[in-house]
């Protein structure tokens, strides 16, 4: 009896890539492969790459190179490299020369071709390299092997039209293409029926959803349509571009009882000069007005952000403006980054690159400020009750964990025989440890409404 073939997928980058890997896993399982936790034991290894930041590119290259010795022992192992890195102009060709033992290269535009490429290689055909220069149509037929229960990812659109000067995404993901509203609604309804408790809607700029469909569809109307789906579940979404955040969308968020009162709204910088150089198409004042509008309609809404320091030409005064904005908004959390040059972007050619030492100093000051704010917000929960969705078990802490609708992580002990993952629980916060909360479960509950 033949041994069943196994696959292992290594994913770099954002939730978009995680969900894309679920599609690749679905294709692998359709062809009879089963998942294995270890790369060394896999007959098929897929590297789904990211090129947004330089460290992700270096990690991918290092891990791909490390498989050379393993493949010498297992000559039948098939190695595939895909994702944003391979879609970047010239990179796949460079990698093909650097890693001659890799069997398959393909990009972000032709994920659906993975099945054909893999079958060709399994049938003894030569190395497969396929990179579509233009994005394809939205494909609704790809199988998915979901791996994040009780969370599920749902693309609402693909690509980006914004062309921020530091960002490679429009070049590797293509222009914006929205899925039809009914296809999104049907997928979410199916996930709720399957028991998923948190649905995250994905897009490079979800606020642009529907603009390319040629009808009255927009993201606010999609949020309202999803509100008609009955069940006990949360909805989150990312990422929202500040320039396109409308009052109608905020009102739709408020009206839909399933939408969490949290919003990821990347500002990137608090200096108008830097925002202009980034081509963000809003000012710091515009952004703060959007925050004021959001909190007028949803006073308890938490806000998270992306913040970048060291963009070309950023002065100390510019950086101080960013610090002032962070202090004003009081983000629950923020992803903080040092600017990293990306070949092929406008910013890569800019003069006045900020010295590395200056970048390091500024990022540490920014992280310190944001951590202080997060700790202050967390401390307000001491002795209070909150509802969380249990997501996982932390082996190191030997505690279960879950987030509340605002995004705060809570750790707790569970002494019942049943497994709490996927349950909504009411907990009382008994200890605040830095940015983490620790709680005592009061009861299993339901999430029906904000009221």
């Amino acid at each position: 009896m033949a041994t069943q073939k196994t696959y292992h997928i290594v994913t770099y980058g954002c939730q978009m890539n995680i969900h894309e890997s679920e599609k690749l896993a679905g294709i692998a399982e359709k062809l009879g492969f089963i998942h294995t936790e270890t790369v060394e034991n896999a007959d098929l290894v897929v590297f789904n790459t990211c090129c947004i930041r330089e460290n992700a590119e270096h990690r991918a290259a290092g891990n791909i190179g490390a498989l050379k010795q393993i493949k010498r022992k297992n000559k039948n192992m098939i190695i595939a490299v895909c994702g944003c890195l391979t879609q970047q102009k010239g990179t796949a060709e460079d990698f093909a020369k650097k890693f001659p033992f890799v069997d398959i290269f393909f990009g972000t535009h032709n994920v659906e071709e993975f099945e054909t490429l893999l079958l060709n290689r399994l049938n003894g055909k030569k190395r497969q390299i396929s990179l579509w220069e233009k994005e394809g149509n939205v494909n609704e037929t790809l199988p998915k092997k979901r791996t994040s229960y009780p969370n599920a990812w749902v693309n609402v659109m693909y690509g980006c039209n914004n062309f921020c000067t530091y960002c490679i995404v429009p070049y590797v993901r293509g222009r914006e293409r929205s899925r039809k509203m009914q296809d999104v609604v049907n997928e979410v309804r199916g996930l709720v029926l399957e028991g998923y408790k948190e649905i995250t809607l994905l897009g490079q700029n979800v606020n642009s959803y529907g603009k390319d469909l040629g009808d009255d569809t927009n993201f606010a109307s999609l949020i309202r349509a999803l509100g008609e789906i009955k069940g006990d579940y949360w909805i989150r979404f990312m990422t929202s571009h500040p320039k396109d955040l409308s009052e109608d969308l905020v009102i739709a968020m408020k009206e839909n009882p399933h939408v969490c009162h949290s919003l990821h709204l990347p500002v990137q910088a608090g200096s108008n000069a830097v925002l202009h150089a980034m081509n963000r198409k809003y000012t710091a004042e515009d952004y703060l007005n959007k925050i004021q509008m959001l909190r007028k309609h949803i006073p308890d809404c938490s806000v998270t952000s992306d913040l970048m320091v060291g963009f070309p030409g950023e002065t100390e005064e510019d950086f101080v403006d960013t610090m002032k904005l962070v202090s004003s908004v009081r983000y629950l959390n923020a992803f903080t980054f040092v600017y990293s040059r990306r070949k092929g972007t406008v910013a890569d050619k800019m003069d006045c690159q900020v010295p590395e030492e200056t970048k390091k100093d500024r990022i540490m000051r920014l992280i310190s400020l944001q951590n202080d704010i997060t700790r202050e917000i967390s401390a307000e929960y001491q002795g209070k009750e909150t509802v969380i969705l249990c997501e996982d078990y932390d082996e190191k802490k030997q505690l279960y964990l879950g987030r509340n609708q605002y995004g705060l992580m809570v750790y707790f002990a569970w002494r019942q025989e049943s497994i709490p993952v996927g349950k909504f629980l009411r907990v009382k916060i008994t200890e605040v440890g830095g940015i983490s909360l620790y709680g005592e479960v009061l009861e299993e509950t339901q999430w029906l409404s904000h009221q």
Side-chain angles (χ1 to χ4, degrees):
M1 183 173 166
T3 303
Q4 190 159 17
K5 290 186 177 292
T6 59
Y7 74 91
H8 184 89
I9 298 177
V10 183
T11 307
Y12 304 88
C14 62
Q15 284 85 356
M16 193 79 71
N17 276 26
I18 294 172
H19 185 42
E20 201 163 77
S21 290
E22 292 181 335
K23 297 175 184 177
L24 297 172
I27 292 170
E29 296 205 354
K30 177 184 174 184
L31 297 179
F33 288 80
I34 60 172
H35 179 257
T36 178
E37 292 290 341
T38 58
V39 173
E40 293 80 5
N41 295 330
D43 299 294
L44 167 66
V45 180
V46 183
F47 290 93
N48 188 6
T49 63
C50 173
C51 65
I52 302 302
R53 305 195 204 293
E54 193 173 19
N55 62 344
E57 183 174 329
H58 289 163
R59 281 192 295 119
N63 290 338
I64 294 167
L67 278 190
K68 182 177 181 179
Q69 297 303 321
I70 297 173
K71 186 160 182 177
R72 280 181 177 172
K73 298 176 183 177
N74 180 10
K75 291 182 171 54
N76 292 323
M77 173 187 279
I78 293 176
I79 302 173
V81 179
C82 63
C84 295
L85 188 60
T86 49
Q87 191 66 53
Q88 195 172 1
K89 190 173 181 180
T91 303
E93 292 81 358
D94 291 343
F95 268 47
K97 293 176 183 176
K98 186 175 182 180
F99 304 115
F101 54 88
V102 173
D103 301 272
I104 301 170
F105 290 96
F106 62 100
T108 59
H109 297 334
N110 56 325
V111 172
E112 63 262 40
E113 204 181 5
F114 176 50
E115 180 176 350
T116 299
L117 300 174
L118 180 54
L119 283 172
N120 286 345
R121 196 69 180 112
L122 287 168
N123 290 328
K125 293 188 178 180
K126 65 180 182 178
R127 168 192 265 189
Q128 302 287 294
I129 301 177
S130 181
L131 297 162
W132 295 357
E133 291 189 10
K134 289 197 68 175
E135 62 271 13
N137 296 322
V138 174
N139 189 326
E140 295 290 347
T141 64
L142 293 179
K144 304 178 186 72
K145 170 67 174 178
R146 297 197 181 269
T147 57
S148 302
Y149 179 85
N151 308 312
W153 316 102
V154 175
N155 285 111
V156 301
M157 62 187 301
Y158 304 87
C160 183
N161 291 352
N162 287 309
F163 289 93
C164 299
T165 56
Y166 54 83
C167 186
I168 198 71
V169 166
Y171 305 97
V172 297
R173 289 283 178 184
R175 303 295 78 75
E176 292 176 354
R177 291 102 66 207
S178 301
R179 295 177 64 193
K180 293 179 181 178
M181 182 188 290
Q182 196 56 54
D183 288 331
V184 176
V185 172
N186 289 344
E187 184 174 354
V188 173
R189 180 181 289 111
L191 290 167
V192 172
L193 289 173
E194 289 176 37
Y196 286 91
K197 297 298 183 180
E198 181 175 296
I199 316 295
T200 302
L201 310 177
L202 297 176
Q204 301 296 340
N205 176 16
V206 292
N207 296 344
S208 289
Y209 171 78
K211 289 183 178 180
D212 58 313
L213 293 178
D215 53 23
D216 294 330
T217 300
N218 58 32
F219 195 52
S221 62
L222 174 61
I223 292 296
R224 290 190 171 98
L226 294 174
E228 300 300 315
I229 299 174
K230 306 300 181 185
D232 196 24
Y233 64 97
W234 281 346
I235 291 176
R236 299 185 191 270
F237 54 84
M238 61 189 310
T239 295
S240 287
H241 196 296
K243 73 178 176 62
D244 296 315
L245 179 68
S246 68
E247 189 166 20
D248 187 37
L249 173 57
V250 172
I251 292 171
M253 290 172 60
K254 181 180 180 180
E255 292 172 347
N256 186 331
H258 300 285
V259 173
C260 292
H261 284 185
S262 76
L263 180 67
H264 187 64
L265 195 65
V267 68
Q268 302 298 352
S271 159
N272 288 339
V274 173
L275 289 170
H276 179 73
M278 289 178 167
N279 193 36
R280 291 293 286 175
K281 299 175 184 174
Y282 55 83
T283 65
E285 292 76 19
D286 294 334
Y287 184 90
L288 291 171
N289 286 337
K290 299 271 179 142
I291 295 294
Q292 185 178 20
M293 178 268 293
L294 170 69
R295 288 175 171 161
K296 179 185 77 173
H297 291 290
I298 312 177
D300 66 331
C301 192
S302 68
V303 183
T304 57
S305 190
D306 294 346
L307 296 161
M308 183 187 300
V309 303
F311 187 80
E314 181 190 67
T315 65
E316 177 64 17
E317 183 179 2
D318 292 327
F319 174 69
V320 169
D321 285 342
T322 296
M323 297 281 276
K324 288 178 180 177
L325 185 142
V326 170
S327 296
S328 175
V329 177
R330 292 184 61 79
Y331 296 112
L332 175 69
N333 212 331
F335 300 100
T336 55
F337 307 101
V338 170
Y339 167 73
S340 173
R341 296 178 76 162
R342 290 285 79 194
K343 185 179 178 182
T345 64
V346 174
D348 181 51
K349 301 173 184 176
M350 290 181 177
D351 296 328
C352 304
Q353 296 289 330
V354 177
E356 291 301 318
E357 285 303 313
T358 302
K359 291 180 184 179
K360 290 178 183 178
D361 172 69
R362 289 175 183 171
I363 194 69
M364 295 308 296
R365 289 154 63 192
L366 179 60
I367 290 171
S368 177
L369 172 61
Q370 180 56 55
N371 284 348
D372 286 345
I373 293 170
T374 301
R375 279 192 288 265
E376 289 167 6
I377 295 172
S378 297
E380 295 172 3
Y381 278 81
Q382 180 70 50
K384 294 183 180 179
E385 296 179 13
T386 189
V387 174
I388 65 170
L389 172 62
C390 180
E391 298 179 358
D392 207 347
Y393 181 74
D394 188 309
E395 294 284 353
K396 188 174 181 180
K397 293 179 184 288
Q398 294 192 331
L399 295 170
Y400 282 94
L401 57 97
R403 287 178 298 160
N404 65 9
Q405 64 160 323
Y406 308 107
L408 278 165
M409 189 68 71
V410 180
Y411 294 89
F412 62 94
W414 183 259
R415 297 178 177 85
Q416 300 181 31
E417 290 186 10
S418 61
I419 295 175
V421 173
K423 297 180 183 292
F424 287 104
L425 304 169
R426 185 174 298 280
V427 299
K428 182 176 181 179
I429 304 304
T430 56
E431 181 185 348
V432 177
I435 60 175
S436 298
L437 306 177
Y438 296 84
E440 174 186 298
V441 176
L442 301 178
E443 62 177 346
E444 183 177 342
T445 186
Q446 288 184 308
W447 182 260
L448 299 175
S449 174
H450 297 289
Q451 284 77 42

